[in-house]
Amino acid sequence: MQTSSDRHEYPAHWEADVVLRDGGTARVRPITVDDAERLVSFYEQVSDESKYYRFFAPYPRLSAKDVHRFTHHDFVDRVGLAATVGGEFIATVRYDRIGAGGTPASAPADEAEVAFLVQDAHQGRGVASALLEHIAAVARERGIRRFAAEVLPANTKMIKVFMDAGYTQKRSFEDGVVRLEFGLEPTDRSLAVQYAREQRAEARSVQRLLQPGSVAVIGTGRTPGGVGRSILGNVGDAGYTGRLYAVNSAFPEDLKEIDGVPACRSVREIEGPVDLAVVTVPAERVPEVVTDCGEHGVQGLVVISAGYADSGPDGRERQRALVRQARSYGMRIIGPNAFGVINTSPRVRLNASLAPEMPRPGRIGLFAQSGAIGIALLSRLHRRGGGVTGVTGVSTFVSSGNRADVSGNDVLQYWYDDPETDVALMYLESIGNPRKFTRLARRTAAVKPLVVVQGARHGGVAPQGHAVRATRLPHATVSALLRQAGVIRVDTITDLVDAGLLLARQPLPPGPRVAILGNSESLGLLTYDACLSEGLRPQPPLDLTTAASADDFHRALSRALADDTCDAVVVTAIPTVGEGSAGDAALAAALRSAAAAVPAKPVLVVHVELGGLAEALSAAASTAPQAPQPAEPQPTEPAPAPTEPAPAPTEPRTPPAEAEDTAPAGPRTPEAGDRRAAAPPHPRPAAPAAPHPAGPADPPPEGTRLIPAYPAAERAVRALAQAVSYAQWRRDAADPGKVPEYEDIDERGAAELIAGHLARGQGLALGDEETCELLGRYGIHVHRALPAPTPDDAVAAARALGYPVALKATAPHLRHRADLGGVRLDLADEEQLRRAYAELTELFGTPAELRPVVQGMAPRGVDTVVRAVIDPAAGAVLSFGLAGAATQLLGDMGHRLIPVTDREATSLIRSVRTAPLLFGWRGSAPVDSAALEELLLRVSRLVDDHPEVVAVTLEPVVVAPRGLSVLSASVRLAPPPARDDLGPRTLPAY
């Protein structure tokens, strides 16, 4: 690395993996003296034109002096970064600190000249844009605030890189050269540009995994059964439209095909590109496979093999090495220990998973960190009967296993603008980057519903194999923050599917008013009660009686949907004796017809053991045509040879794999085993895309209204309530409000106070006077309290404050515990004060133990608590609730991410269950909610402006009909935690 003469140690924290515009990855790292040969080799591969643009003159080769200059850096005033793929340079960037007049300088000079060089073969991949983000972050760290760059006018690509970055710029033209100057502080526009580039790059990286033009299954067994052979069969059975290869190093040299698929001993032997490799070999063989794939130019890996972080510390290190190795070749990984991926698009038809059946095409995207939960979700959505009736389809499915690389965040980026996905369902066992997840979730939820169920939420630790940053926030707080971001948070897999079915088939309800009609009075009343429990506003149920015909249902539903006081309709139905399937089909047709006439309001059906109706509704509920189209014939390229031994034993996320050519494992299920044993050769160009069971009726015409059916009123209503809340969030998100400015806020004065306090130590709790002074800079005034170590001091304090007063014990075990009797209120004179002082000391101990204070009485009102905390994973969080034991017992607190807007402050106050106490419950006077909202906004501003304020507590805050009083406050300061969301784009480090 660097020599001893260098001024700073090698900055390893500048190393990062980045996703480029085309979805590939590159490694960004500082250039060191060891890179001389790499630099020369890189420069030799750059065109003469690019060299001319860099040096403004013909410059065919680098001199020894140039190489020394470009590889020797002090990492302060002179810094060079390189983007590498496969260990070789593909681009470089450097800055040199300059002073007035452009001469070399040292700190405190805060300007630097920056220059790029990108290998021609990698231009257009977004390499320069990524390097600019990273070199700008390095420069800010080293005290540089501005970059200057001189560019030839013909070098339009580089000018565009600078102009599109979003920084505040100044442009001039002098002596035939364009001079650009720009500040490096992130702006709203630069962050927007960065996030947009991040979305395109990460979405493209997932697209390469889900829409490959060719697939190699590495570890395909020679005999039926086993993971590799099963996945090969699943890919073929789905009617995959691309080229498919079987790879196993143990294949005989003369084996050219297996099940009709070209067979090779190594992926290197495949003629032509391979976009996706599905790896099922034992973990100890995976590095060799990754090397072969990287050298052959494979774009991505799905690693089914287990034996990584799921198997202990050694496996975790093996997993880190796997990620580093794959990224060094520009590849991304799903897994290891993954269940696989599915894409039902007719253009792809990929089932590279352990699921033996291809799900029906549809509009629902599925992501699961657990293979077992993933297959359960696919099964529920696939089957026609059982829990949730009806058929619905899947667009894409990803099971990430240990989630070493590709995560739910990446898949969200893909779904955001995927035209074939309308609803996203996610099962998460951990959230690796909560701050980024909430940002992506908010953006995704603004255009399509995102439903999430989180497992392992009470376990206290992340599942094995998941690398996540620690959070101190309880699960309830995380859930509240997800809801603030527009996420539909549910508790069970059943709720996940129920909500997904409704959102995939029906419009969002315009409001909470629900009409209920059906042929069972009892079922109608159950539905009515369920609506009330979920906070909906149901109308009295309309009982059509058990004699109701299909025409009666049609007329009643049509009237309900036409009623302006109705936002959604729940239809309840019980079996009609004697009519059988014909009556069920007629009822389904009647409901579909009536619903189609008013497409802006959702309709749900609650049925009781109506097999015929369930299937009839299923015909209308598919999110895609029932009959699959045959695959187009695809040429398969001959492969010269065969490939790899087989998979490692997998852990609970995937069924057992085996080392092929030894003792093959039994089939996962008898059906899967029998099917594999009898599997006809691949590929089958005319085979159907998926083995769909025959429907009970012909598929409905295109555009037919799709109606979900539920076996229980509670499930239907719960799904509807989730849709109502989400629809309201969508309306609110259209006008999120603003963060108000207050003229009396002294931001600079607060910063000076904080800097002075932190100079005394790394983290400290401020004293009462210091707390009051800091809060006062933001217009937050704490009710004055004076210490009273003796009765005479208490009397003196009361005279200074004026009667009536309150006497409080502030010892930690008595603080905020009025229920224990440590507070005496409305003391009108000296006699009452001395008597109260004597009572407290007699009950609880000496004054030194009690720490009594005297405080002037505040106007009576409702006691509340306001808190703010900076969590290292989720960011800054503002919390509100009513003070008291009942609220603490029930955990009744509302939460919002900081900065909070005026609309969010209003909703935060109303989000707690005890909120009616603030608004005139049982005839009490409503409190001054405007003053409370302003207090929340001021606390939010304080923490947002000064991330060194890591915790604020105001308790109690007494909110009166006019105004409020902050009776006690505490503030904790510390150096702010690092915020990676404001830095350059990077992949999670391994």
Side-chain angles (χ1 to χ4, degrees), residues 389-392 500-507 621 623 705-709:
T389 62
V391 176
T392 200
L501 290 172
L502 174 62
L503 294 163
R505 301 172 180 177
Q506 295 289 300
T623 60
R705 182 69 174 276
L706 311 176
I707 302 177

Side-chain angles (χ1 to χ4, degrees), residues 532-582:
L532 292 176
S533 298
E534 294 293 339
L536 302 177
R537 292 162 53 189
Q539 299 173 358
L542 173 62
D543 182 17
L544 302 178
T545 76
T546 54
S549 65
D551 288 340
D552 294 330
F553 272 93
H554 183 280
R555 285 191 292 270
L557 180 55
S558 298
R559 285 194 300 271
L561 290 172
D563 185 354
D564 290 339
T565 65
C566 161
D567 298 314
V569 181
V570 178
V571 178
T572 63
I574 60 172
T576 302
V577 178
E579 291 195 5
S581 60

Side-chain angles (χ1 to χ4, degrees), residues 113-281:
E113 192 171 51
V114 65
F116 292 80
L117 186 59
V118 180
Q119 205 175 90
D120 294 66
H122 294 277
Q123 292 179 9
R125 300 184 66 201
V127 184
S129 299
L131 282 177
L132 178 58
E133 291 178 17
H134 283 262
I135 198 73
V138 168
R140 288 194 297 268
E141 181 182 326
R142 296 310 194 199
I144 293 172
R145 296 292 172 258
R146 293 185 309 280
F147 270 167
E150 293 186 344
V151 187
L152 289 175
N155 193 358
T156 55
K157 291 181 180 178
M158 188 52 61
I159 292 175
K160 183 174 174 59
V161 167
F162 291 122
M163 297 300 291
D164 290 348
Y167 297 112
T168 302
Q169 299 185 0
K170 183 171 68 175
R171 179 174 176 173
S172 60
F173 184 78
E174 186 176 345
D175 297 330
V177 174
V178 177
R179 182 175 176 83
L180 298 168
E181 299 179 18
F182 48 94
L184 299 183
E185 285 304 311
T187 65
D188 290 342
R189 182 167 177 265
S190 70
L191 288 175
V193 169
Q194 180 176 317
Y195 292 155
R197 288 172 173 168
E198 173 192 67
Q199 190 274 327
R200 288 192 297 268
E202 292 179 358
R204 176 61 180 150
S205 72
V206 175
Q207 182 185 41
R208 290 175 12 150
L209 295 163
L210 293 177
Q211 300 180 22
S214 53
V215 174
V217 180
I218 303 177
T220 302
R222 291 179 295 177
T223 58
V227 173
R229 186 67 174 269
S230 296
I231 291 179
L232 182 75
N234 294 343
V235 175
D237 287 347
Y240 173 56
T241 60
R243 298 177 300 278
L244 179 61
Y245 304 94
V247 180
N248 192 323
S249 61
F251 283 157
E253 293 187 7
D254 59 348
L255 181 66
K256 301 302 180 184
E257 286 189 354
I258 185 166
D259 289 343
V261 176
C264 307
R265 291 166 56 85
S266 167
V267 72
R268 294 175 185 254
E269 299 176 356
I270 297 175
E271 296 179 0
V274 175
D275 296 332
L276 177 68
V278 183
V279 181
T280 66
V281 303

Side-chain angles (χ1 to χ4, degrees), residues 704-967:
T704 299
R705 182 69 174 276
L706 311 176
I707 302 177
Y710 299 85
E714 297 79 8
R715 289 172 58 179
V717 170
R718 193 179 305 122
L720 178 59
Q722 297 282 6
V724 168
S725 297
Y726 171 66
Q728 184 61 51
W729 180 89
R730 286 275 290 264
R731 290 189 289 271
D732 293 341
D735 181 16
K738 61 183 180 180
V739 178
E741 298 288 339
Y742 295 106
E743 293 183 357
D744 60 341
I745 286 180
D746 181 7
E747 184 176 345
R748 177 175 296 181
E752 292 173 354
L753 286 175
I754 291 169
H757 294 317
L758 284 178
R760 307 199 316 258
Q762 287 294 303
L764 70 160
L766 298 184
D768 291 340
E769 293 298 326
E770 296 166 331
T771 295
C772 293
E773 184 181 14
L774 177 58
L775 293 176
R777 302 286 178 151
Y778 272 72
I780 302 169
H781 302 290
V782 182
H783 221 52
R784 190 180 178 196
L786 299 177
T790 68
D792 291 340
D793 291 325
V795 171
R799 288 174 181 162
L801 296 172
Y803 288 100
V805 296
L807 179 66
K808 302 179 180 180
T810 62
H813 65 288
L814 296 173
R815 194 178 183 89
H816 308 312
R817 291 298 306 274
D819 55 310
L820 296 180
V823 179
R824 296 292 188 272
L825 302 176
D826 288 316
L827 304 175
D829 52 35
E830 179 179 342
E831 181 183 356
Q832 292 183 14
L833 177 58
R834 289 185 179 275
R835 184 164 56 247
Y837 200 102
E839 290 173 356
L840 285 182
T841 54
E842 182 179 349
L843 287 171
F844 298 110
T846 66
E849 296 172 319
L850 298 182
R851 305 178 193 176
V853 298
V854 175
Q855 193 171 46
M857 286 296 298
R860 291 194 177 275
V862 179
D863 289 1
T864 64
V865 57
V866 176
R867 294 192 183 102
V869 64
I870 293 184
D871 182 79
V877 179
L878 180 68
S879 303
F880 168 79
L882 270 62
T887 297
Q888 295 173 10
L889 180 64
L890 298 174
D892 187 23
M893 296 285 290
H895 311 276
R896 295 293 185 271
L897 286 174
I898 291 173
V900 170
T901 67
D902 49 3
R903 290 180 65 98
E904 289 172 337
T906 299
S907 68
L908 176 57
I909 292 172
R910 290 159 176 78
S911 66
V912 296
R913 284 172 286 174
T914 46
L917 293 173
L918 301 170
F919 298 101
W921 185 67
R922 300 185 69 176
S924 60
V927 304
D928 190 346
S929 58
L932 182 54
E933 291 167 14
E934 181 177 330
L935 176 67
L936 292 170
L937 290 166
R938 288 178 180 272
V939 173
S940 170
R941 277 288 308 275
L942 171 64
V943 176
D944 190 46
D945 292 344
H946 307 283
E948 301 88 352
V949 180
V950 295
V952 176
T953 300
L954 309 181
E955 182 181 9
V957 177
V958 181
V959 191
R962 293 189 63 182
L964 55 78
S965 303
V966 180
L967 301 187

